[in-house]
Amino acid sequence: MSSGPTIVDNPNFDAVESAHALFKAVDGIGTNENVIIDIITSCSNKQRQEIKKQFQKIYRKDLVKEFKSEILIRFSFDFKQLLESMFMTPLELDTHLLKHTTKGLGTDEKALVEILLTRSAEEMIQIKDEYMKRFRISLEDDVADDTSGDFRKFVFPLCRAKRRGVALVNLSKARDVAAEINDTFTQYRGTDTPRFDFIGFCCCENFKQIKATVDEYEKLTDEVMIDFIENEFHGDAAYALKSAIKCSNSMPGFFAERLYKSMEGIATNDEALIRILVCRSEIDLEEIKREFENRYGKTLESKIKSHTSRQFKQLLLAILRGNVTKEAM
């Protein structure tokens, strides 16, 4: 059984040949979306950057702009968004996505939490630098301006890359912290004893230590940590804290749930579908697919088929299927 990414480097990749094929696909009377989809899902993100360079070198044109001009006329907006995302580097895409969560009239709190929680401290340092270069404002300032209260206390340290990178587990510390959470939130409720900084713990501690602490807390109290959070916190802060606990238990499980909820109800959250499939395609999308089926009794592929349409559906499914051959598994 495969695990990890659905898309990897293609050993038979030829950037020049791909650039020529894409030019033919977008030039002329009709755009050939099947060729576009086949080419861009047959190679990795790094290889797509090479295609962009060769396309510019050979035709003196920006490949993404060519896509935009053609697709705006002939294809859907969601297909255009997905194509554009696939030709950004991971750093460019994360920076773009974070800006998108805060610009406009409202903040997309769920997307903001998802991105900040699932990037490493090292990745966040790079994102912060890129964000400042691109937008002339710090990520921290943008996020602080659009958030408040306990939710701001959670996301602000993540913007500053404060999560500990060491993945070692200290069981003695986990037991002590579990006891402190229980004592200061229940035993000493209503007293002058300061409460344990649960928000700081969830946004700064490494996920393995969080999971160990949650396990110790649940053994100590016979209470599910998610229930504790729902009793003590509210709104966006509660959502963020529960997301941290879910990530500590299973990152693929967290994304499987996000994908399932993006296709609940009448309207599909196309932005969430694009963000998760593109960002996780070279990391753990196979594991997310498996987790999705285990949790919801249906494949992610079947869910996407029933909630999307046309070229957008074709490209999403091609990302899901990927380019990893059985021989490479």
Side-chain angles (χ1 to χ4, degrees):
M1 184 177 288
S2 60
S3 63
T6 59
I7 294 178
V8 296
D9 284 341
N10 183 344
N12 301 313
F13 172 71
D14 186 321
V16 173
E17 183 180 310
S18 296
H20 285 311
L22 286 173
F23 180 77
K24 290 176 185 176
V26 299
D27 191 50
I29 296 172
T31 303
N32 190 332
E33 70 273 17
N34 292 325
V35 171
I36 296 171
I37 290 169
D38 286 347
I39 291 172
I40 67 175
T41 57
S42 71
C43 59
S44 66
N45 184 278
K46 182 175 69 176
Q47 291 171 330
R48 279 179 230 127
Q49 305 313 311
E50 286 300 312
I51 295 174
K52 276 170 60 178
K53 288 179 187 175
Q54 289 300 326
F55 196 93
Q56 178 71 47
K57 182 178 177 182
I58 297 165
Y59 299 108
R60 299 287 188 261
K61 292 181 179 181
D62 185 299
L63 177 58
V64 175
K65 287 182 180 177
E66 288 294 297
F67 281 150
K68 283 183 178 180
S69 63
E70 288 293 323
I71 291 160
L72 278 173
I73 298 168
R74 305 175 191 202
F75 297 130
S76 63
F77 178 70
D78 48 17
F79 183 58
K80 183 207 78 168
Q81 277 190 309
L82 180 50
L83 269 177
E84 190 175 355
S85 296
M86 292 189 75
F87 275 94
M88 293 183 191
T89 67
L91 179 57
E92 288 168 346
L93 182 56
D94 280 340
T95 306
H96 167 80
L97 291 170
L98 283 167
K99 186 65 175 179
H100 191 71
T101 65
T102 57
K103 74 177 184 180
L105 295 175
T107 303
D108 186 343
E109 289 85 2
K110 287 182 171 62
L112 181 61
V113 167
E114 175 197 303
I115 298 165
L116 293 178
L117 264 181
T118 59
R119 275 43 169 188
S120 67
E122 293 78 13
E123 287 170 331
M124 285 307 307
I125 290 168
Q126 293 180 318
I127 290 167
K128 281 174 54 183
D129 291 343
E130 181 69 15
Y131 199 96
M132 177 63 82
K133 288 176 190 173
R134 188 167 172 183
F135 302 116
R136 305 293 182 186
I137 186 172
S138 73
L139 174 61
E140 298 100 305
D141 286 345
D142 248 359
V143 168
D145 286 345
D146 274 67
T147 56
S148 61
D150 283 344
F151 184 65
R152 181 191 288 167
K153 290 178 186 175
F154 181 89
V155 293
F156 192 75
L158 289 173
C159 291
R160 301 183 68 193
K162 292 296 183 181
R163 183 175 298 285
R164 295 186 180 95
V166 178
L168 298 175
V169 174
N170 184 327
L171 284 176
S172 176
K173 179 182 176 183
R175 285 190 286 270
D176 290 344
V177 170
E180 190 174 357
I181 293 169
N182 182 51
D183 288 346
T184 61
F185 277 89
T186 57
Q187 305 300 321
Y188 302 138
R189 188 187 298 276
T191 72
D192 292 333
T193 303
R195 298 200 305 180
F196 175 75
D197 181 12
F198 188 73
I199 293 174
F201 169 75
C202 285
C203 67
C204 294
E205 189 56 86
N206 78 71
F207 284 130
K208 287 187 177 181
Q209 188 66 34
I210 291 175
K211 174 144 189 351
T213 304
V214 169
D215 291 345
E216 292 298 327
Y217 176 87
E218 293 180 348
K219 282 194 288 186
L220 176 68
T221 65
D222 284 328
E223 180 185 24
V224 177
M225 183 63 87
I226 296 294
D227 293 341
F228 160 78
I229 292 170
E230 289 177 346
N231 290 332
E232 297 292 339
F233 300 91
H234 306 285
D236 295 327
Y239 173 81
L241 293 166
K242 287 189 289 183
S243 295
I245 302 304
K246 291 173 183 178
C247 283
S248 74
N249 188 53
S250 168
M251 191 79 77
F254 170 73
F255 281 113
E257 181 181 331
R258 291 284 291 138
L259 286 166
Y260 184 81
K261 291 187 174 179
S262 76
M263 294 178 279
E264 270 189 325
I266 298 170
T268 299
N269 186 339
D270 293 340
E271 290 182 353
L273 280 176
I274 292 169
R275 184 177 61 248
I276 296 171
L277 262 64
V278 175
C279 290
R280 307 309 293 189
S281 62
E282 297 186 32
I283 301 172
D284 57 359
L285 188 51
E286 281 290 353
E287 295 166 67
I288 293 167
K289 286 162 58 178
R290 190 160 54 249
E291 190 68 32
F292 189 98
E293 187 171 3
N294 290 341
R295 289 183 178 215
Y296 304 111
K298 60 181 70 176
T299 65
L300 180 53
E301 183 171 330
S302 68
K303 189 77 170 173
I304 287 175
K305 277 182 180 177
S306 63
H307 283 77
T308 58
S309 61
R310 301 179 65 218
Q311 296 83 13
F312 182 56
K313 174 171 72 175
Q314 283 181 257
L315 182 47
L316 289 172
L317 294 176
I319 295 168
L320 274 185
R321 294 163 186 159
N323 70 343
V324 182
T325 62
K326 289 182 179 179
E327 289 77 21
M329 290 177 185

